[in-house]
Amino acid sequence: MFVCSLSARQLFSRTLGRSSRLLLAALALGLTAAPAAALGAVQFTFTTDQTAAALNGEAAQLLVPPRLLKGRTMLPLHETAALLGQKVSEVEGQIQLGRLTVDRARNAALLAGTPQPEGSVATLDGTLYVSARLLAEALNGHLSVDESGRTLTLTALREGGNPLAPQARFSTDKTSYAPGERVIFTEYAFDPDGADIVSRKWQGRQDVYFQPGTYTVTLQVTNSRGLQSAPFSRTFRVEGPPVDTPLSYALKYAEPGDRFPDPLVSGYPAVTAVPVAGPSYPLLFSDSPEAPTQSGVLYQDSVAGRARLLAYHLNALGQPARLYVLARNLEGRPVEVRTERLGETAPTRIEGLLGQVTLLDYFASTGGQVLTLAPGQSAAVYASPTLGPGSGANVMQDLSTTGRVELTFVMLEEALPPTAQVIQQLPYLPPDGKHQRGTFPGAVRSLRVNLTALPARLVIGDGQLDPALVGTDVLTGRPQRLLGNYGVLYDLEVTGAGGTAIALSPRGGLYRGAMHIEDGPITQTIKLPRTGNALTPDQPVLLWRPQSDRLNIDFVPASGSNLPVSLVFYRAQVRSGFGGVWKTYQP
């Protein structure tokens, strides 16, 4: 089967008409061309030894010209078939087009099984040619010649296709766009029997094109029976003065969680975040040893009232194990332990998943579970699923207690129950020297930001503009700095937020997390990014376009991701002139 090379497409792309560009796309995919809904007959006008042609009155450009060989006008088979919307098949060297069968190896042809005269088929420079008159007869078409005898017109019907196959259809709102202007695609594919369209395959589709040029977009659809449509294509121009840059376009149209380019983001001035009084309770952080090789106590401390727990551990025991957080009542009376919020990722071997899934779970949690502990009684406030060797767990949990309880983080081989007797016999595992553990006052950092000059950024987790929490490993008595402030909830209140767009810029490398916002009556948890990973500072991820002047953001640095990050604030309202076009319809 004929394959259009990339070099050929590059050679002709600047001079091709719309029909020819669709032809190239079809040939490259090994498909018949379907530039629009069928209008009836296709009329192909061509001249021997010239690549310029016409298709239904529209200029077209052939890759190779028709030839005059031994008194016969010859056409390139595959190229002509694609222009006429005809399917070409090939099985074991036998090429089939309509009623025509061609044996390429012998340059021989059959029309409805009848051998054709020698010279009806030829191969020139690797291109298969067929007599124009024979091609017309094979398609039940008509061939006419002008007075010069050199320009011919072949008229034929498009192939009817499979009557059970779905039909791909779409339109665009215009046929010519400015660079940076949004393209509105309206798809209206259908199935003749009403079967569901279960998949769509687009070629060349973008919501916006920033470079001038001619673009062809093609759609194929598949129905629930597995039948695929013919490709359907449309072509449009991008030309004239731009209406948006990639950045200004993203600030208008990007969805929360989408990445967009901004090479200047690292140079924006830092906004001043003013600390204010807020909830005050400790964070118990357990990440060392991160990958224990034996059953044991990972961390332990006592709390009364509210506390946040964050544990991140991998099972390196070489056998199935579970991660537990056990609460023991230290009072002489019953104590209630209430889970206010809980987020968990377990089991998983993919480190980048841990923090994001845990945060999405945490923000969606409504809590409410209560354990009542008798004096001296222990119970698990958290128990992970079984962790296979090498898999891990990440849990973030907000607790409140009516008295003092001891909280113990334990990795325990699955065969051992987490009873008080078993826990008493476990060793206290030493820290690994690479990661952190400890108790840190200030699990909530309440900040107020007033936006004035934009763009600007708020840095989180760098240890300088945003200081690290300081605490103590109570098992060793050593002071600790919580680098990255993992597990700290940043309670941000932003004023002057109306008419802005807010994004997250990862400054430390790979980042996958989540954020919760309150914007007037709207509350929403946002997955960051929507797909994949945020990797580079100059590819921020859109968070939100506030509708209110006052915006509240809950942000927790995600376990398994890299800090620091910046929250970037942009001015996003539409201005007249440059960037003043705003298309809101999106079917």
Side-chain angles (χ1 to χ4, degrees):
M1 186 174 288
F2 180 88
V3 177
C4 175
S5 68
L6 181 60
S7 58
R9 288 208 286 177
Q10 292 171 331
L11 178 64
F12 289 102
S13 62
R14 295 185 180 180
T15 58
L16 296 180
R18 174 174 178 268
S19 299
S20 297
R21 284 186 295 274
L22 297 173
L23 166 66
L24 284 176
L27 291 176
L29 294 169
L31 303 167
T32 57
L39 298 175
V42 183
Q43 217 164 47
F44 175 45
T45 302
F46 56 93
T47 302
T48 54
D49 299 320
Q50 293 185 19
T51 55
L55 189 68
N56 281 22
E58 184 180 344
Q61 190 83 18
L62 296 168
L63 293 174
V64 292
R67 300 292 191 187
L68 187 63
L69 300 176
K70 298 180 181 180
R72 288 187 176 90
T73 300
M74 310 288 284
L75 286 168
L77 176 64
H78 290 86
E79 210 175 342
T80 303
L83 281 171
L84 296 175
Q86 298 289 334
K87 182 178 180 181
V88 178
S89 60
E90 182 172 357
V91 179
E92 297 181 352
Q94 301 293 308
I95 299 172
Q96 189 73 38
L97 173 61
R99 299 189 299 148
L100 175 66
T101 303
V102 175
D103 186 331
R104 187 165 190 166
R106 299 190 300 114
N107 276 341
L110 300 173
L111 181 65
T114 302
Q116 298 302 297
E118 185 178 350
S120 298
V121 179
T123 301
L124 298 176
D125 298 325
T127 299
L128 180 63
Y129 282 83
V130 175
S131 160
R133 193 164 298 280
L134 177 59
L135 198 57
E137 292 181 18
L139 300 175
N140 295 313
H142 176 74
L143 186 70
S144 59
V145 185
D146 74 350
E147 295 179 356
S148 72
R150 296 185 64 246
T151 298
L152 296 84
T153 298
L154 173 57
T155 304
L157 285 174
R158 289 182 175 87
E159 186 181 60
N162 184 346
L164 298 178
Q167 299 291 312
R169 293 284 190 276
F170 71 91
S171 65
T172 56
D173 58 322
K174 299 169 66 174
T175 57
S176 178
Y177 296 87
E181 182 180 356
R182 193 179 203 185
V183 180
I184 306 298
F185 292 92
T186 301
E187 185 208 327
Y188 46 97
F190 66 94
D191 185 87
D193 293 325
D196 291 337
I197 303 296
V198 296
S199 69
R200 294 159 175 81
K201 182 180 179 182
W202 292 90
Q203 298 278 342
R205 175 174 174 169
Q206 298 174 199
D207 289 336
V208 61
Y209 301 80
F210 294 102
Q211 298 301 319
T214 300
Y215 296 89
T216 296
V217 177
T218 301
L219 172 65
Q220 272 191 295
V221 299
T222 303
N223 67 13
S224 56
R225 301 187 184 99
L227 296 177
Q228 192 175 59
S229 73
F232 180 91
S233 302
R234 290 192 186 273
T235 296
F236 48 82
R237 289 280 303 163
V238 176
E239 56 194 354
V243 298
D244 271 312
T245 65
L247 175 57
S248 63
Y249 179 88
L251 296 179
K252 287 181 185 177
Y253 296 119
E255 295 292 332
D258 285 350
R259 289 179 289 266
F260 59 89
D262 184 3
L264 303 178
V265 67
S266 298
Y268 295 150
V271 297
T272 300
V274 179
V276 297
S280 178
Y281 50 89
L283 166 66
L284 276 63
F285 186 85
S286 179
D287 184 29
S288 186
E290 186 172 279
T293 58
Q294 66 178 102
S295 294
V297 174
L298 302 164
Y299 188 63
Q300 187 180 72
D301 197 2
S302 65
V303 300
R306 299 186 66 189
R308 175 169 301 127
L309 319 180
L310 180 62
Y312 176 28
H313 292 284
L314 303 174
N315 173 17
L317 273 63
Q319 59 180 308
R322 298 181 72 181
L323 175 67
Y324 298 95
V325 180
L326 303 172
R328 183 168 68 93
N329 182 2
L330 301 180
E331 303 279 5
R333 56 180 174 80
V335 169
E336 289 185 352
V337 181
R338 179 183 298 273
T339 295
E340 296 180 343
R341 266 182 162 178
L342 173 68
E344 173 207 48
T345 310
T348 182
R349 295 176 182 271
I350 303 174
E351 186 175 6
L353 284 178
L354 288 168
Q356 185 178 68
V357 174
T358 296
L359 288 176
L360 290 169
D361 224 17
Y362 175 83
F363 287 131
S365 171
T366 57
Q369 176 180 319
V370 178
L371 292 175
T372 301
L373 303 179
Q377 182 185 357
S378 294
V381 293
Y382 172 74
S384 77
T386 300
L387 307 176
S391 66
N394 179 226
V395 58
M396 188 164 75
Q397 186 172 14
D398 286 356
L399 298 177
S400 64
T401 73
T402 59
R404 183 159 296 276
V405 298
E406 180 184 73
L407 296 172
T408 304
F409 298 76
V410 176
M411 184 71 79
L412 199 60
E413 57 194 79
E414 190 177 32
L416 294 176
T419 62
Q421 293 79 6
V422 169
I423 301 305
Q424 288 173 2
Q425 298 176 30
L426 290 177
Y428 286 85
L429 300 179
D432 57 22
K434 301 176 183 178
H435 304 94
Q436 296 165 291
R437 71 185 187 188
T439 302
F440 301 87
V444 177
R445 182 164 285 182
S446 299
L447 302 172
R448 300 297 175 259
V449 176
N450 184 31
L451 299 179
T452 52
L454 298 179
R457 59 196 175 97
L458 174 65
V459 180
I460 294 176
D462 69 338
Q464 298 175 6
L465 293 174
D466 178 35
L469 282 188
V470 176
T472 303
D473 178 352
V474 299
L475 296 182
T476 65
R478 296 173 185 167
Q480 299 287 312
R481 292 182 70 247
L482 186 58
L483 301 178
N485 284 345
Y486 295 102
V488 175
L489 188 146
Y490 288 79
D491 170 22
L492 304 173
E493 183 181 283
V494 182
T495 56
T500 69
I502 304 173
L504 180 139
S505 171
R507 293 178 51 198
L510 180 149
Y511 192 88
R512 294 178 69 171
M515 178 177 294
H516 187 76
I517 64 98
E518 293 184 7
D519 183 7
I522 300 172
T523 61
Q524 181 65 52
T525 299
I526 303 164
K527 186 180 179 184
L528 303 173
R530 193 158 50 165
T531 59
N533 302 306
L535 292 172
T536 57
D538 59 359
Q539 292 281 324
V541 177
L542 183 70
L543 302 181
W544 197 251
R545 294 186 188 88
Q547 300 180 25
S548 307
D549 188 64
R550 188 182 303 273
L551 180 72
N552 292 95
I553 301 174
D554 284 347
F555 176 80
V556 181
S559 301
S561 289
N562 297 294
L563 274 292
V565 297
S566 293
L567 296 184
V568 188
F569 301 91
Y570 298 91
R571 188 67 61 195
Q573 77 269 23
V574 179
R575 301 179 178 90
S576 60
F578 182 83
V581 176
W582 197 321
K583 294 184 177 181
T584 58
Y585 176 69
Q586 191 68 19

